[in-house]
Structures are given as C-alpha cells and as structure tokens.
Amino acid sequence: MSESGLESYWATRTLGIELLHRECFRHSDRPDALPARPVITDLLQPGLRKNPRRAHLLVSTVLGKHLPTDPLVVRDAGDRLGDLVRGVLGEQDAVALGFAETATGLGHCVATRIDAACYLHSTRRAVPGARTLTGFEEGHSHATSHLLQPMPGDIFTAGLPLVLVDDEISTGNTALDAIAALHEFAPRTHYVLAALVDMRTEADRARFARVAAELGARIDTVCLATGSAVLPDGLVGAVLDLPEAELNPVAAARGDSTRLDLPWPQDVPDGGRHGFLRTDRPAFEQAGAAAAKMLRDQLVTEYPGRRVVVLAHEELMYLPLCLAVTLADSGIPVRYQTTTRSPAYVLDEPGYPLRRGFRFQAPEPGEEQPRFLYNACWPDTPAAGADPVLVFVVDTPGDSAQLYAPGGLVDVLTAAGSDVLVAVVPGADPVALEAARFRDTGVQGSAASARPQLSVPSRAEQAASARPDPGVPARAEVWASVRPESDVSAQPEAQMPSRPEAPVSARPGSEVIARPDSEVYSRSAAAVSSRSAAEISARSVPAGGSRPLYGPEFGSYARGDVAWLLKDLSDAELEADLAYREQRIQAGVAHYAESLPIEYQPDAAYRELFDQVLADSAQRLALAVGTVAELVVAERGTEIVLASLARAGTPVGILIRRWLAARHGSRPGLDIPHYAVSIVRDRGIDTVALDYLAGRHNPADVVFVDGWTGKGAIAKELAEASAAYHAAGGARFDADLAVLADPGHCVRTYGTRDDFLIASACLNSTVSGLVSRTVLNRDLIGPEDFHGAKFYADLAADDVSGRLVDTVTAAFDTVRDRVTEQVGRLRTADRTPTWAGWASVERVRAEYGIDSVNFVKPGVGETTRVLLRRVPWRVLVREPDATEHAHIRLLAQAREVPVEVVPELAYSCMGLIKDVRR
C-alpha cells in the first residue's frame, strides 16, 4: 500500500493516527513475496488498545500475529531481515535471540537464514526440568518477564556476536534492557538488533550510541523500513472512551472440532525455547516433514477443497509456520497467524485491522490470565461462520481440559461457526534434549561431573561435513537455510573498537578447587563459582531425581504448609555427643553440617516456660509476621514464591503463607507456594534446590525467608552463594533475605529490628516440624541430591510445632490495623543495612580474647541455639532480669553456664561458644 492509501485506515480517518515512511532497506534483489521497496504502510497498519500507557498498536502485515498472513510472506520477511543481518556480520558466526512472544518465529527465521550457531528465544513459561539461565524485563508489554532457558546453559554463553530479533523497535527500551542484562551476565563485544520496522526518534537513536559507549560494545541495528507514528493529542482518552469491544462472536450453527496427534521426537527441539543448535536442523527438518505430511493427509481427507488458517500458539510459532509453508507449497490455500497474551481493541469497521476477536482461558494449567486471538478468518471475510478450517497447533502443556472446556479456545472458535482441527505436538523434553546434546558431542558422565565447553561446529565446518540423507525429503524453501548474498552492509548505530573476549571456560574462577581438609561435600560459594557454566547448567531435575518431601510422611507440618527440598536421612546414624562433636568441628576435621547434635530435651519447667512465652509473645510475633509479609508483597508483588531457610526459617515461612492467604485491606487472599531449602555456613545454599526452583518458577519471584539475623553470617552467605550460582551459569535469584527480626541491621526486609524472643527459637525439632537441622555430608548427599535432614517421628508426643503456628495465626486479626501502620512507616524509612551487629560482635570477640567470630552468637535466638546445640562458655545479657531472657537463664542454669551482665551490650544478649581446643 502506498502512503496515500493510509487514509483508508479507520484509525487514521477517525482518530488521526499517521504512519510516516522514512527509508527502506534491502540486502539483495532476490525475488520474494514482499514488495520490492516497501514503505512503512506496506508493513504496518494502525490499530488500538485500551491501555493508558500506550493506546496505539502497530499491527504488522508480514509477521502473522494479528492478521492471517500468507506464510510465504512471513518467511520471506524473516529471510530478508536475515540477509541484512548477514550484511552486518560478514562471515562472522553468531548466536541469535528472539523476543517472546511476538518474535519467536521471526527470530528463528533470521537465525536459520544466517545459519546461526545457536538460536534461543525468551520465554514466559515455567517448564519442568528446565533451568533459567538469566532474564530481563519489558516495560510496555502486557506480560513483562523474559526468561532464558537454554539446555544446557553453555550453548548460549559463548562470546559470539549476539543478534537480537524483535518485530518492531518503538523506543528501543526493551532491546537496551535486554542487552544490559545479557551483557552483565555474559559480556560480548558486538550486538545486532534486527526488527521488521524501526520507529525510533533521533533521541532514541542517540541513547543507543550512549549505551554502546558505556558497555564498550558495538550495537548495530537493521530493519526492513524506518518510520514514525504521529499520535494526536488526547489519543489515550479518545481510545478509552470508545465503546467496549464485542468479543467471541456466535454463529447460528456451531462448528466441529477434531484432534490430531503429530509425531515429534522428545530429543528434537520444536523451537528455540531451550536453544536450537545448527546441528539440530537435520533432525528438525526430518521431524517437521513427517508432521507436515500427516497434517496434510488429514486435511485432504477430512476437509477436501477447504482453505486453511494455521493458528500458532503464543511462543510456538516457528514450527507452525513451517507446517503452513509446506501446506502452501503442496497447493492448499493457507494463511498463518498466532494467539497472543496481549489484549487489543476489536472493531468491525472497514479499514480497521482487527475485525473480530476472541478471548479465551489459557489452556496451560496454572495460567490465570486470559489469552486472545484476532480475526481467525480468511482475509476480507471477517464475518462469523467463515469458510476456512482453523488448524490450531499446540504443544502438550496446552493440550489440556481447559482448551476444550467452556470458554476455552476450541469452544469459542466452534461457537463462532468455525471447524477446528487441534494438531498436538508432543514437544521436546528439556532434560532429554540436554542429554541428547551431550550424547551427540561424546561427553559422558553424570550431570554434575566436569564437562568441557559444548562445541558447536562453525558454519564452514557444518557445510564441509554435511552429507545429504537419502531418507530425508529435499526442502530447499522451508526446512533448509539459503546462504544470503553479502555485498551490502548496513551502517552501525555506534562502532567501538573490537576486543577479544575470553571464553567462558577461561574466565577467572573456572578451576575446580579441592578441599582435602574437610569431609563435607562442598557446595560453598567458592565451589559454585569454581565450576564452569556448562557444569552448573548441566545439573537438572530429571524424572526420578530429587523431589520435595511433604508431611505427614516427612515432618509434622501439613502437606499444604511446606514442601521440603531435602533428602530424607531419617535412617542414618548422624547424632554425636555435643562435646565430641564440638572438638571435631573446632579442630577442623569436621564441619558442623556433616553430623547432628543429640537433640537436647528440656525439662518440664522449661516446657512450661515455653508455653508462657508463646502465649505472651503471640501478638508480637503476629505483628512481625504481618509486617514482613505485607512489606514483601508491596515491594515484590503478589506472584512471590517463599523459600524458607530450613529449619529456623520454615515456621516463619508457614506463618507468612498463612497471613497472605487471608484478605488484608484491598489485597485479596493469596495462595503462595512455600518451599524449605538448606543453607550451610561456609558451604552456601543448596544449588540442587535452586535448580529445582528455577525450573518451576520465575527465580525473580523467589523470596528467601529466615527467622532472625544475628551478626548476619547467613545473610552474607546467601548473597555470596546466590551471586556465585548465577556467575557459574545458574539463574539470578534475589538474595534480599526477609526475616521477622533484624537486630543486627543486616537486611532491608524485616518485621522489626527489636531483639526479642521468637518462640520457635526456644526449642529444637519439636517446634520446627520434628525436622532436624540440615545435613551436608558427601557420604550421604550425592551431587544430584538435595541437602539432607532427619524426621524425628519418635518425638511426636513432645511436638508443639502446630501449636506455635496455630497460636500465632489466631492472633492475626488483632494486629491488622497495626500492620498497615507499621508497613507504611517502614516503606518510607531508611532500611539500608548498616551491619552494626557485626561490629558489636567484633568488639566482644576482642574483649573476651575469642579467636573467631563464629564463637560469638548475638541475639536472643542465637543465644538460645548455643545453649541447645553447642558447648556454651558463657552468656552475656544487657539486663539481669529481662522477662524475655527467662528461658535463657533456665537453660544456662541446667547446663551450668555462667551468665554475665554487660549493660553496654548492643544486643539484649549473646551466647559465647567454648573453645574446646584450649
């Protein structure tokens, strides 16, 4: 369409939206299905959405998203864009990244065209068994989080130029955010941003140059055409005032639906979600040809002479596009488009691109937000009951009861009079895919064994070694890539001097460090950072691998309260006499996490004191629980996942989960997942547990929870271990620890900074679900195992775990108004950690001639632990008769430990461990 034809668009005539053309670009004159010199209105149409941030929508005519499009046009647009990318790269190899959800298919087309070593698209789906390498955010999108889940992680971390592919560049903010996040994770010297259209202003382009200079990298951009959108004043208000769109049209006669299972090997990628290597193409082509033949046979048999619209589903775009191209090549009239997460405005008016729309419940289990589909008809025939068969291509997670239920996609499409064929692709299993890639490269051994960097053949090596397979049909147009010409080069946005980058395996910290002086299997921060990206990424959660434990089979908490990411060691003999155990720990021949102390069982007087402490402190505990819970939701959102640090953090995690389950103010009740994970001082957090969480949730949503801080050793351990896990190829977790009490001023998310008695600190397993402290012993914990713990079922008669959480839960309603006030104060306060507690510990260590700060345990909770689990030397208290120290005085008396009054003490009390070497 020429620019003069723009007036025929409804949004231009009615609202004054204009699309202005600047330039078009092309790398070669090879004939294809696109206009030879497209203007911006050949590639875009103006649409609308009722969004106060951005009311206009640029509807692509060549992407196959909102508009049913000739699949040859979609493919050729990707090829033409790929040619421009190759012009910038020259003969350099590259990896490519497509943005979910819109550009997953386009990115794959570009990657195929340039013969990229690896193609990956971001995803918003949590895939069991997959690990999230890193991620980034998108500001204007309806769904913002982009996760990267290559299997294994190192296929995408090599230092090749990175090509980022999106459908449009509006301001470039999404691309710059992605480049910044990826550059921080794995720096590169060259980025190429490729999009169908570039609508940036000069200020936007200048920002690209500044970012390139700041990163010390070169950032090029290529596109089919540049232009700008002229938006009239008051557009947002005008669009918001439009009448509500009528979705889900209903025809006089309902259409029929059928289902077809397409064959697909589980170790062949069906797209780029978990990475698509150059070496994957032959198997993909063979599997795709078989699937296309089965689909065509079904259509010819069941729907002879009918036109077809192939509907891809969200991120699964490239395989359906290839199927559509094959159908078109065979002579079937076919168009192609996809479903989307993004709502847009529908209007059945000539010149408006979205003539009809469908709103349906997401077919994937656990997805609450609705999905959308537009037009879903043959072009120029938008009325209900249109002729074509709708072929909905979906992978196994989407082939669910919700797909066919009332309000599901099949239901709303057949209600509109359409015949629907659901074509189900089993899809690739990420664990099987990873295993196949290591098998194909000849690497043997367990997932945790040392592995070399996964090698991807260069384009020249691949071409030299390629041999035609006589059993695979030749497919010059669809399944095989065509080498582009390289006589035209795009101009870079900003050029910086090129510099070589060290490969991942050569970066500092990649040498494995042995620790012969310790019997414990080490997963410390140093050990995590010492592993290569391939090693850490290779570890997975395979079928039959580590799985959570639940009560009442493990622990006394209810199944719904917590999932323990631990290995059951209940049958192992791990307990040792306190004095003997302390001697081995202090002598350096054992680590405290290798064994367990014999659980000290207080006498009747102490248990009676516990009952009184719980009754007296329930409201104070409830206030701290509610405060930290609402603070977390206010600052981290409602999609959080709780990961309590076993075991002291676990009762707190349960209480936070219970608080959030009830409505509070305008916040509805929330059903929050809760896991218990192990962290060990000097050994770090359980990385197998982190793998498990990253494979099932967005790592950015995980909130680590503990009971209190002492001097802050665990807060530091968590921060260091999380950073090392990410640096070694794992996902990025937020290490901001949330606690009930932060007397050490070590964290910024807390319920209070008072050093007060938390009742769960008064006892051992009998107040923590009858679960022991966690164990990390290489004789019992393998590289694929969670850290371990024991379930002391024999102590059930003395168990007060349920009574504690029930008592505090019963006090929730009495503190709700105070929680709202407290959260308001904290959100405006300076909560920056000062680590004042650590300085106080150092002063006490020096004054009492103690060799290590590890022998100084500050605060009520830590002092209690010293008396219950270690060999105590003495107890320091600020006040001699403080009510909250009554249990400490009883314990000290029972164990014949002196109590010393130190009025200037920074904490209300401290416990000092005896140096048994003296």
Side-chain angles (χ1 to χ4, degrees):
M1 173 180 295
S2 67
E3 231 177 321
S4 61
L6 181 63
E7 295 179 359
S8 64
Y9 292 135
W10 184 89
T12 302
R13 297 193 311 268
T14 308
L15 298 174
I17 299 175
E18 296 184 75
L19 302 180
L20 304 181
H21 178 70
R22 287 182 183 149
E23 294 181 85
C24 65
F25 303 92
R26 193 166 181 183
H27 188 68
S28 74
D29 293 329
R30 183 182 67 85
D32 58 22
L34 273 65
R37 306 288 296 175
V39 296
I40 202 70
T41 49
D42 290 322
L43 304 175
L44 296 176
Q45 295 181 17
L48 305 171
R49 55 184 177 183
K50 287 198 168 186
N51 187 320
R53 290 187 297 175
R54 182 178 172 185
H56 70 291
L57 177 69
L58 301 180
V59 179
S60 175
T61 64
V62 299
L63 183 64
K65 189 70 175 177
H66 299 88
L67 303 178
T69 307
D70 183 343
L72 301 179
V73 169
V74 178
R75 182 204 60 188
D76 287 354
D79 284 354
R80 192 180 284 193
L81 188 59
D83 290 351
L84 290 166
V85 172
R86 177 51 65 196
V88 170
L89 292 173
E91 290 301 311
Q92 292 184 91
D93 212 345
V95 294
L97 172 67
F99 287 91
E101 62 185 7
T102 304
T104 61
L106 176 64
H108 208 140
C109 289
V110 170
T112 299
R113 186 67 170 177
I114 67 172
D115 197 20
C118 175
Y119 170 66
L120 179 72
H121 69 68
S122 61
T123 183
R124 294 178 176 124
R125 178 188 286 181
V127 180
R131 295 174 306 280
T132 299
L133 185 68
T134 187
F136 55 92
E137 297 294 315
E138 181 175 355
H140 71 269
S141 175
H142 187 67
T144 59
S145 293
H146 289 257
L147 308 177
L148 301 187
Q149 297 180 341
M151 297 291 288
D154 62 342
I155 64 175
F156 198 70
T157 56
L160 295 173
L162 175 60
V163 180
L164 300 96
V165 183
D166 208 352
D167 61 317
E168 66 175 81
I169 311 175
S170 297
T171 63
N173 289 337
T174 298
L176 291 180
D177 289 345
I179 289 172
L182 294 170
H183 194 81
E184 179 183 359
F185 176 74
R188 302 172 191 267
T189 59
H190 191 187
Y191 298 90
V192 181
L193 176 59
L196 295 172
V197 296
D198 184 348
M199 308 293 279
R200 288 176 299 164
T201 65
E202 291 305 318
D204 295 330
R205 294 170 186 272
R207 187 167 64 254
F208 266 65
R210 290 196 301 272
V211 170
E214 291 168 1
L215 297 179
R218 170 180 168 180
I219 303 177
D220 294 319
T221 59
V222 297
C223 63
L224 302 189
T226 60
S228 61
V230 178
L231 307 177
D233 293 338
L235 176 64
V236 171
V239 173
L240 292 176
D241 289 340
L242 290 173
E244 289 301 314
E246 297 183 7
L247 303 179
N248 297 354
V250 177
R254 179 179 284 270
D256 295 324
S257 66
T258 56
R259 184 180 180 281
L260 174 66
D261 287 308
L262 296 179
W264 198 267
Q266 67 171 355
D267 58 354
V268 175
D270 54 6
R273 178 179 286 117
H274 304 302
F276 190 100
L277 301 178
R278 179 185 291 122
T279 51
D280 289 324
R281 288 184 195 131
F284 178 84
E285 293 168 8
Q286 186 169 5
K293 183 180 185 303
M294 179 177 287
L295 177 58
R296 185 185 185 282
D297 290 347
Q298 179 83 358
L299 290 170
V300 170
T301 302
E302 299 295 330
Y303 306 98
R306 296 280 294 275
R307 296 179 291 185
V308 172
V309 176
V310 173
L311 303 176
H313 182 50
E314 292 190 30
E315 297 171 6
L316 183 64
M317 298 177 71
Y318 184 67
L319 175 57
L321 173 62
C322 293
L323 296 174
V325 171
T326 304
L327 295 178
D329 286 346
S330 72
I332 295 178
V334 62
R335 294 294 182 265
Y336 162 86
Q337 69 171 118
T338 75
T339 63
T340 178
R341 295 182 178 221
S342 301
Y345 187 68
V346 172
L347 181 68
D348 190 14
E349 287 285 348
Y352 188 74
L354 311 180
R355 298 290 294 276
R356 72 173 186 170
F358 300 90
R359 183 181 187 271
F360 59 96
Q361 64 183 35
E364 292 83 3
E367 292 285 347
E368 301 295 332
Q369 294 300 317
R371 303 300 194 256
F372 301 89
L373 175 67
Y374 301 100
N375 295 310
C377 57
W378 202 256
D380 303 323
T381 58
D387 174 58
V389 179
L390 304 181
V391 177
F392 180 57
V393 183
V394 65
D395 55 4
T396 306
D399 181 38
S400 64
Q402 294 97 303
L403 178 62
Y404 305 90
L409 182 60
V410 172
D411 174 61
V412 300
L413 290 179
T414 54
S418 296
D419 292 331
V420 179
L421 170 60
V422 178
V424 181
V425 181
D429 174 68
V431 176
L433 183 61
E434 178 182 53
R437 284 170 173 165
F438 283 119
R439 182 180 66 244
D440 293 343
T441 55
V443 179
Q444 303 295 328
S446 68
S449 63
R451 287 177 173 144
Q453 184 81 4
L454 188 65
S455 174
V456 180
S458 68
R459 295 187 301 123
E461 292 169 336
Q462 178 77 2
S465 62
R467 295 291 183 271
D469 184 344
V472 181
R475 298 180 40 78
E477 287 295 320
V478 183
W479 306 103
S481 64
V482 180
R483 283 292 302 274
E485 299 84 347
S486 57
D487 55 344
V488 179
S489 175
Q491 293 297 316
E493 291 290 330
Q495 296 191 16
M496 299 299 294
S498 178
R499 54 189 171 129
E501 181 186 19
V504 172
S505 59
R507 289 177 185 164
S510 63
E511 181 183 357
V512 177
I513 300 172
R515 294 183 61 87
D517 59 330
S518 174
E519 294 296 319
V520 72
Y521 177 78
S522 174
R523 288 201 190 103
S524 67
V528 173
S529 64
S530 73
R531 289 197 294 267
S532 68
E535 207 175 335
I536 189 73
S537 300
R539 197 173 54 250
S540 62
V541 187
S546 295
R547 290 290 182 267
L549 302 173
Y550 299 92
E553 291 79 14
F554 183 87
S556 62
Y557 290 127
R559 181 181 181 88
D561 278 336
V562 61
W564 300 91
L565 299 188
L566 296 172
K567 181 178 180 179
D568 189 354
L569 302 179
S570 299
D571 295 331
E573 295 294 334
L574 289 165
E575 287 78 9
D577 173 76
L578 285 179
Y580 174 73
R581 183 171 178 271
E582 194 70 51
Q583 287 173 349
R584 287 178 55 81
I585 292 171
Q586 293 187 22
V589 298
H591 188 277
Y592 77 88
E594 294 179 86
S595 62
L596 292 172
I598 296 173
E599 292 250 332
Y600 175 77
Q601 297 303 313
D603 57 20
Y606 184 89
R607 288 196 292 271
E608 182 179 342
L609 178 61
F610 167 81
D611 294 338
Q612 186 61 47
V613 166
L614 177 59
D616 292 344
S617 65
Q619 283 196 15
R620 192 173 186 183
L621 276 170
L623 177 61
V625 168
T627 300
V628 74
E630 295 301 331
L631 190 60
V632 166
V633 168
E635 298 184 342
R636 299 282 295 274
T638 59
E639 299 298 319
I640 59 169
V641 176
L642 297 176
S644 60
L645 302 183
R647 66 184 169 181
T650 303
V652 178
I654 292 172
L655 286 168
I656 291 175
R657 185 178 187 276
R658 290 191 177 189
W659 174 276
L660 293 176
R663 182 184 183 89
H664 180 74
S666 60
R667 175 186 59 74
L670 304 173
D671 186 12
I672 303 297
H674 174 213
Y675 300 88
V677 302
S678 170
I679 189 169
V680 177
R681 196 190 72 236
D682 299 330
R683 297 293 182 263
I685 196 164
D686 185 349
T687 55
V688 175
L690 293 187
D691 290 341
Y692 185 94
L693 292 173
R696 286 153 179 79
H697 304 282
N698 180 355
D701 292 336
V702 175
V703 178
F704 294 102
V705 175
D706 207 357
W708 58 87
T709 64
K711 56 182 174 287
I714 291 298
K716 286 188 174 182
E717 190 79 44
L718 177 63
E720 292 170 359
S722 299
Y725 175 81
H726 175 61
R732 183 193 298 275
F733 286 87
D734 188 336
D736 181 25
L737 184 63
V739 298
L740 290 191
D742 178 37
H745 292 244
C746 308
V747 300
R748 66 178 308 276
T749 306
Y750 53 85
T752 179
R753 277 183 165 156
D754 293 342
D755 184 13
F756 79 102
L757 175 59
I758 296 174
S760 59
C762 291
L763 297 169
N764 282 314
S765 65
T766 53
V767 79
S768 302
L770 295 181
V771 174
S772 74
R773 67 178 308 159
T774 59
V775 174
L776 186 55
N777 185 314
R778 69 176 178 183
D779 292 334
L780 299 170
I781 306 299
E784 297 297 328
D785 293 334
F786 296 137
H787 291 190
K790 297 183 71 168
F791 171 30
Y792 291 125
D794 57 308
L795 298 179
D798 296 318
D799 187 28
V800 293
S801 306
R803 181 145 57 91
L804 182 143
V805 295
D806 289 343
T807 301
V808 178
T809 301
F812 282 169
D813 287 342
T814 67
V815 299
R816 291 196 177 275
D817 290 342
R818 294 164 62 193
V819 165
T820 301
E821 296 172 2
Q822 181 76 349
V823 171
R825 285 195 297 269
L826 285 178
R827 294 203 69 192
T828 58
D830 181 4
R831 292 178 280 131
T832 304
T834 63
W835 300 91
W838 196 285
S840 176
V841 167
E842 286 286 0
R843 286 194 297 271
V844 169
R845 183 197 65 77
E847 183 176 345
Y848 284 83
I850 298 172
D851 290 341
S852 171
V853 291
N854 290 335
F855 289 178
V856 182
K857 301 294 184 180
V860 178
E862 293 300 302
T863 303
T864 305
R865 283 180 167 186
V866 169
L867 292 164
L868 289 173
R869 303 177 186 173
R870 304 297 292 271
V871 176
W873 177 41
R874 67 183 62 194
V875 170
L876 312 181
V877 297
R878 190 165 52 201
E879 300 176 18
D881 301 315
T883 303
E884 59 191 16
H885 294 165
H887 74 293
I888 289 176
R889 293 193 294 274
L890 273 179
L891 286 174
Q893 182 180 4
R895 298 199 61 185
E896 299 180 346
V897 177
V899 177
E900 183 177 331
V901 179
V902 183
E904 67 275 12
L905 204 63
Y907 293 83
S908 63
C909 60
M910 284 189 182
L912 308 183
I913 296 173
K914 183 177 181 179
D915 188 342
V916 297
R917 298 168 298 179
R918 295 184 177 181

